[in-house]
Amino acid sequence: MACCSSSISSVCSNEGCAERSSEVVKGVHARLRKKFKEADGDFERIWVEHCEDEACLGEYAYAMQHLATEHWAAKHPDDRIKWCYHACKEYFFHGGLGKALDKDRRRKQHQLKKLEATQQIELLGEMCNNGRELVANGNHCNGSHDIRDSILECITEPRNSNQYNTIFIPFSGPLRLLDVGSCFNPFLEYPEFLSVGIDISPAVQSVHKCDFLNLQLQQPLQVAPDTVDTYLRTLKSPVETLPQQCFHVVVFSLLLSYFPSPYQRWLCCQKAHQLLQLNGLLLIITPDSSHANRHVDMVKSWKKVIESLGFTRCRYVKDTHLHFMAFRKTTLEPPSVVSAEISPDMLYIPQDYNEDLEESVFLDDYPRSDDDDRRCSDLFSELPEYNDDGDGEEDGDDADENGEEGSERINGEDWEDFDALSYH
């Protein structure tokens, strides 16, 4: 595909060029979905064939880079990359993680107030199976207060949590960020990140060639942080293996909707959990379609299934064309038992069922009704509220009205403010 601009650094003003690039991207997605259905769900064969089509991949990579750097950046200055950057700054450096951990403790304290003594003992036994040993050196828990403290200890300090696999506060050093489907490694411009970009078809040399679905995972590195940093800085393309519990942030920006199968999206989220350290962030950005009122249930479904993998939701923002989601890794290992109500099929996109739906991230605009907004707001109003300090205030009201000194608040929300929904 010929470009109307000879320099990627100059902004392309040719709308026809933007349309051609969009058609390339949408065409690849549509063909993948069509082949997946024709192959009766054999996503592995379809994916192997796709990864071997170098001409298609190269054209797609160029089109995505061109759209992102020369068209989207001009029309949407507060874009997906900046959202990820500010979300990470808020979470790791301006109190977001601390607030999340505090809410974990307060939530559990509130739950314990409602338990009878027998229920507390039963819960203690369950927590001990997944937490630290509570009986050591002949010291046993005695009384409800000991039980309460021991349960809290299990939750806040999981078994095997250590300096090599857990993010503690205060955080220091570069944020190790894995950008999956990176294309052109946009996070390199931020000094706070040690950015590792991977893609099946990199558009620039700073991105490593890697098939994330078939990436092999090694045992965690039990070494000093600067040694891990050096290891990641010296990776060579193609990347075929990575150590578990190595990254502070994993980014899926417009990635999951690329795959034709919900099961592939499920596998990606599972792999992200394995690659993240405890308390790390999974940032997901996925397109909304022109029929936004039909997709609130999709967001709700995604939240439920991703949480089942060992994450906790901590932020959601609705943009005109995009859903921005942040999940915190809250278990070292994925749950051994998943509810029968959970299935990979819950990671669906509307185009899985309707091939004619447009991917609106590639459109200029579409109308949005008040009913759409109300349905989205209702999505986050279903969690129970509780008084966690006995002061008559609901959870989330204890934050400073103006935020912490020097912090960058995102759309005025606190981390894990589940009942709030923001729009750009």
Side-chain angles (χ1 to χ4, degrees), residues 1-2 20-28 31 50 53-67 183 201-203 258:
M1 182 184 72
R20 288 194 298 273
S21 297
S22 296
E23 288 304 317
V24 168
V25 172
K26 290 188 292 185
V28 170
R31 287 193 296 274
H50 179 64
D53 190 345
E54 295 290 343
C56 172
L57 294 179
E59 188 177 30
Y60 183 94
Y62 177 82
M64 278 297 295
Q65 182 189 23
H66 188 71
L67 283 170
C183 186
S201 181
Y258 186 113

Side-chain angles (χ1 to χ4, degrees), residues 149-184:
D149 292 342
S150 298
I151 294 175
L152 287 171
E153 202 172 32
C154 278
I155 293 170
T156 57
E157 297 180 27
R159 182 193 296 177
N160 299 328
S161 172
N162 57 49
Q163 61 179 323
Y164 305 115
N165 59 27
T166 303
I167 300 169
F168 296 102
I169 50 177
F171 181 87
S172 62
L175 285 168
R176 297 194 289 270
L177 180 147
L178 180 65
D179 185 16
V180 185
S182 177
C183 186
F184 60 100

Side-chain angles (χ1 to χ4, degrees), residues 160-417:
N160 299 328
S161 172
N162 57 49
Q163 61 179 323
Y164 305 115
N165 59 27
T166 303
I167 300 169
F168 296 102
I169 50 177
F171 181 87
S172 62
L175 285 168
R176 297 194 289 270
L177 180 147
L178 180 65
D179 185 16
V180 185
S182 177
C183 186
F184 60 100
N185 211 347
F187 294 101
L188 278 181
E189 68 176 273
Y190 297 104
E192 293 87 349
F193 294 131
L194 192 172
S195 177
V196 176
I198 59 175
D199 200 299
I200 57 172
S201 181
V204 296
Q205 289 186 348
S206 62
V207 176
H208 301 292
K209 186 176 181 63
C210 175
D211 178 4
F212 187 69
L213 278 177
N214 292 302
L215 178 72
Q216 300 300 306
L217 300 185
Q218 304 169 342
Q219 289 299 310
L221 298 176
Q222 302 286 319
V223 295
D226 57 348
T227 304
V228 180
D229 296 348
T230 300
Y231 170 83
L232 294 177
R233 286 193 177 102
T234 55
L235 284 173
K236 302 298 182 183
S237 191
V239 173
E240 298 179 344
T241 63
L242 281 173
Q244 299 178 51
Q245 302 170 2
C246 184
F247 291 94
H248 306 122
V249 185
V250 172
V251 177
F252 291 165
S253 179
L254 307 182
L255 173 81
L256 296 181
S257 59
Y258 186 113
F259 298 107
S261 165
Y263 190 71
Q264 290 172 304
R265 300 170 202 141
W266 167 279
L267 291 175
C268 285
C269 294
Q270 277 189 324
K271 196 156 290 186
H273 186 278
Q274 294 172 289
L275 287 165
L276 282 167
Q277 292 189 342
L278 188 66
N279 295 321
L281 281 185
L282 170 60
L283 303 180
I284 297 175
I285 302 160
T286 198
D288 190 5
S289 84
S290 55
H291 304 289
N293 62 320
R294 297 182 183 273
H295 300 160
V296 174
D297 291 338
M298 182 200 83
V299 177
K300 184 176 180 180
S301 179
W302 279 38
K303 288 171 57 187
K304 183 178 292 186
V305 70
I306 293 171
E307 284 187 332
S308 76
L309 296 174
F311 292 99
T312 297
R313 58 199 151 190
C314 53
R315 183 171 292 279
Y316 172 80
V317 176
K318 179 67 185 70
D319 188 40
T320 306
H321 297 299
L322 298 167
H323 300 282
F324 297 85
M325 311 178 199
F327 292 87
R328 175 169 64 100
K329 176 176 173 175
T330 50
T331 64
L332 270 177
E333 301 296 334
S336 56
V337 178
V338 178
S339 168
E341 299 177 356
I342 301 297
S343 137
D345 289 338
M346 295 172 67
L347 280 173
Y348 69 90
I349 60 174
Q351 288 78 12
D352 291 344
Y353 306 106
N354 187 346
E355 296 179 8
D356 296 328
L357 281 179
E358 286 279 11
E359 297 172 86
S360 67
V361 70
F362 308 111
L363 303 176
D364 282 337
D365 198 12
Y366 64 82
R368 186 178 183 86
S369 69
D370 291 340
D371 184 58
D372 296 340
D373 291 349
R374 281 194 299 271
R375 290 193 68 199
C376 284
S377 296
D378 290 344
L379 171 64
F380 274 74
S381 64
E382 299 176 359
L383 290 172
E385 297 177 346
Y386 62 87
N387 179 340
D388 61 2
D389 343 87
D391 58 2
E393 295 183 354
E394 294 176 352
D395 185 43
D397 291 341
D398 54 345
D400 188 298
E401 182 179 359
N402 299 314
E404 297 189 4
E405 184 178 355
S407 70
E408 298 178 75
R409 293 168 64 86
I410 305 174
N411 298 312
E413 295 179 69
D414 285 325
W415 281 92
E416 301 204 50
D417 186 3

Side-chain angles (χ1 to χ4, degrees), residues 97-132:
L97 174 56
K99 290 176 183 178
L101 294 175
D102 286 343
K103 285 191 176 182
D104 282 349
R105 298 186 187 97
R106 293 201 304 271
R107 185 179 296 111
K108 183 50 59 177
Q109 288 171 341
H110 174 75
Q111 293 170 353
L112 289 174
K113 290 177 184 178
K114 294 183 176 181
L115 293 176
E116 298 293 334
T118 55
Q119 293 174 313
Q120 291 178 334
I121 293 172
E122 292 172 359
L123 180 59
L124 174 61
E126 294 174 5
M127 298 306 298
C128 284
N129 290 333
N130 297 316
R132 298 190 302 131

